[in-house]
Amino acid sequence: MQKIPLMLAKAGMTIARDVFRGDSPIGIPICGKGTLLTDSLIARFDNMDVQSIYVEGHPVWEEGERSFDDILHELDGRFIKTLQEPLNAMLYDIYKSYLIKSMGGDSDRQAE
Amino acid sequence: MTDKRSDLKKIIMDTKTLPTLPGVIQKLNTLSDNDKSSVQEMAKIVSSDQVLSARILRLANSPSYGFYRVSTISNAMILLGVNVVKSLALSSSIFAIMEKDSVGLWEHSLGVGVAANLIARKLGLPECEEIATAGLLHDIGKVIIPLKCSEAEKTIQKLIYERQIFTMEAEREIIDTDHAEVGGWLSKSWFLPDKLSEPIAFHHDVAKSENHRIKTAVVHIADVLIKASGFGNSGDCFVPSIQKIAWDALKLNEQLLAELVDEVEDKLVEVKNFSLEMMSE
Ligand SMILES: [Fe+2]
Ligand SMILES: [Fe+2]
């Protein structure tokens, strides 16, 4: 499952969580999970101010297909100047576990 | 102050030379902030400029303030406060001059606005909207420097790339000042209140903030988080040091920081949507 900006939603993706109006994230969903996205559905979400949706799998990748190793490598690069400082090292560890957790997202494809 | 620096200060403080800064802004500065009749007057002045109103409303509905739906200028003044609307007027004008290829800085600024808002709410701080605005504007100096000194800007970029140093270091070497100080001058010349100008001027040196250290600390931490996340592009790609003074001022701890990372990352998807929408127009 992946949370994606509505602008990157495409017909053919499958909704993985109920969708709510953008201005009232509680209440009655406007579309249930499991629905296959169509262009008209995306346009409808847009009209209702929906900013982001959850879709099944991990269909959207930034700047092409980056492997998990690439992503970790970039994280290392960003911290290269400040990793020796305790507070920055703490933030680095938090981000690393966050990335591991979010990239493990592929497993919930089987779960659903 | 050295010659180079004071020359640059003169150039920057001269808001008249900013190509598209609308006359509306000058008019707004003549009105006082807390006077009730001024609020209505201000809403009228801003609403008379349709392009500007549209830009302000769009920013007011950006994920930085995404907790409201704002549909009119007077609504925005009530929900967000006059100071916020005034600074949104300024920043939307400035950001509108930015080149299309500065989308990275746009995203960085929006991201820091969002992160600052999330931190402020999580810590239960007052004036979350002002803090979000300070976050949105914190690197405004980086928009102005290329506009006012395009040659120096090229050298700065070259230096960052060749020596892999922080933007600040390159700026100090080439123009003898930096984007934070420039942002501070700019907010003074716009008569922005201290609670906005201090976070802008001191987000890289929180200890210098005397009256609004908490707000400054929030913007500093928000900047660090967005740099750590790699969202957007603010010149260099390096995570700055977390300043102990900011960490202590906000009484942060590992648990809070981990929760913040989760919340910020989740919200950044909406920020991405917002910037994609802006770029597609
Ligand atoms: Fe900065
Ligand atoms: Fe920044």
Side-chain angles (χ1 to χ4, degrees):
Chain A
M1 184 171 70
Q2 185 185 16
K3 185 180 182 188
I4 62 167
L6 187 67
M7 289 291 285
L8 298 180
K10 295 242 157 51
M13 294 177 176
T14 307
I15 293 172
R17 275 196 203 171
D18 291 353
V19 179
F20 297 87
R21 292 183 72 101
D23 51 2
S24 62
I26 41 170
I28 305 162
I30 51 176
C31 187
K33 67 173 180 182
T35 310
L36 203 64
L37 275 180
T38 59
D39 287 333
S40 64
L41 197 54
I42 295 169
R44 210 164 77 99
F45 290 167
D46 195 29
N47 281 331
M48 294 189 155
D49 273 329
V50 174
Q51 301 289 321
S52 61
I53 55 171
Y54 291 86
V55 293
E56 281 184 11
H58 202 288
V60 175
W61 296 84
E62 265 177 84
E63 301 134 33
E65 301 260 328
R66 288 186 306 166
S67 71
F68 187 52
D69 282 349
D70 291 341
I71 288 171
L72 277 189
H73 189 71
E74 285 169 20
L75 183 73
D76 289 347
R78 293 199 290 275
F79 276 86
I80 202 159
K81 284 180 184 286
T82 46
L83 195 58
Q84 71 289 356
E85 295 165 34
L87 290 176
N88 281 59
M90 183 198 289
L91 181 61
Y92 172 84
D93 288 339
I94 289 173
Y95 249 105
K96 196 166 178 176
S97 10
Y98 170 82
L99 289 173
I100 291 168
K101 194 174 68 186
S102 70
M103 294 302 286
D106 251 5
S107 60
D108 61 24
R109 193 192 313 197
Q110 284 112 41
E112 274 166 52
Chain B
M1 201 181 270
T2 61
D3 288 350
K4 214 196 280 179
R5 198 150 145 254
S6 64
D7 284 352
L8 188 66
K9 184 171 179 180
K10 260 183 241 139
I11 298 174
I12 292 195
M13 296 288 269
D14 183 10
T15 44
K16 283 190 271 333
T17 62
L18 275 177
T20 63
L21 202 60
V24 170
I25 309 279
Q26 318 290 344
K27 271 195 230 160
L28 286 185
N29 280 335
T30 64
L31 297 172
S32 93
D33 290 346
N34 300 312
D35 188 338
K36 260 230 169 100
S37 61
S38 289
V39 173
Q40 284 165 359
E41 180 73 359
M42 224 181 259
K44 219 167 83 189
I45 294 176
V46 175
S47 306
S48 70
D49 184 331
Q50 287 192 6
V51 177
L52 184 67
S53 318
R55 283 199 208 121
I56 293 172
L57 288 176
R58 191 143 61 158
L59 267 184
N61 286 309
S62 77
S64 297
Y65 307 94
F67 306 89
Y68 311 108
R69 307 301 306 169
V70 187
S71 51
T72 64
I73 293 294
S74 41
N75 217 336
M77 297 232 177
I78 294 161
L79 285 168
L80 303 173
V82 171
N83 275 329
V84 169
V85 173
K86 198 164 114 182
S87 17
L88 288 184
L90 294 161
S91 50
S92 62
S93 314
I94 296 296
F95 278 119
I97 326 170
M98 282 169 69
E99 315 269 322
K100 275 260 173 180
D101 57 75
S102 308
V103 54
L105 185 55
W106 230 134
E107 290 187 337
H108 171 75
S109 306
L110 286 166
V112 173
V114 165
N117 197 340
L118 286 169
I119 296 169
R121 276 167 203 273
K122 193 165 190 70
L123 301 178
L125 301 178
E127 303 186 299
C128 294
E129 291 72 30
E130 321 258 356
I131 297 176
T133 307
L136 199 62
L137 295 183
H138 78 288
D139 274 342
I140 198 87
K142 284 187 188 162
V143 187
I144 294 302
I145 293 170
L147 280 177
K148 299 272 191 168
C149 340
S150 55
E151 277 314 304
E153 173 66 15
K154 280 182 205 138
T155 321
I156 291 169
Q157 292 305 329
K158 198 165 145 247
L159 224 56
I160 297 171
Y161 179 76
E162 281 175 0
R163 284 204 241 137
Q164 295 285 297
I165 51 177
F166 284 111
T167 307
M168 295 279 289
E169 298 174 292
E171 288 168 342
R172 291 218 181 105
E173 190 167 327
I174 304 301
I175 52 175
D176 207 19
T177 174
D178 58 64
H179 68 273
E181 189 176 40
V182 168
W185 294 339
L186 201 64
S187 29
K188 283 274 177 310
S189 75
W190 289 343
F191 304 101
L192 292 185
D194 284 356
K195 54 187 162 189
L196 292 173
S197 66
E198 277 199 16
I200 294 170
F202 306 129
H203 68 275
H204 290 289
D205 194 352
V206 177
K208 286 203 182 125
S209 174
E210 287 178 355
N211 305 313
H212 297 282
R213 189 166 289 172
I214 298 281
K215 289 185 172 69
T216 306
V218 172
V219 172
H220 167 71
I221 299 289
D223 189 37
V224 173
L225 286 183
I226 295 302
K227 298 285 285 185
S229 124
F231 188 83
N233 178 358
S234 66
D236 63 70
C237 66
F238 306 113
V239 182
S241 304
I242 297 175
Q243 292 174 8
K244 186 79 171 49
I245 191 168
W247 180 267
D248 291 342
L250 302 180
K251 303 191 181 69
L252 288 176
N253 58 49
E254 189 168 1
Q255 166 84 25
L256 274 172
L257 190 63
E259 288 170 17
L260 281 168
V261 166
D262 271 353
E263 289 166 24
V264 166
E265 282 296 325
D266 189 63
K267 196 85 185 162
L268 284 179
V269 179
E270 269 122 77
V271 180
K272 189 76 198 174
N273 195 57
F274 184 77
S275 90
L276 287 170
E277 273 178 1
M278 305 271 306
M279 290 308 134
S280 70
E281 275 161 25

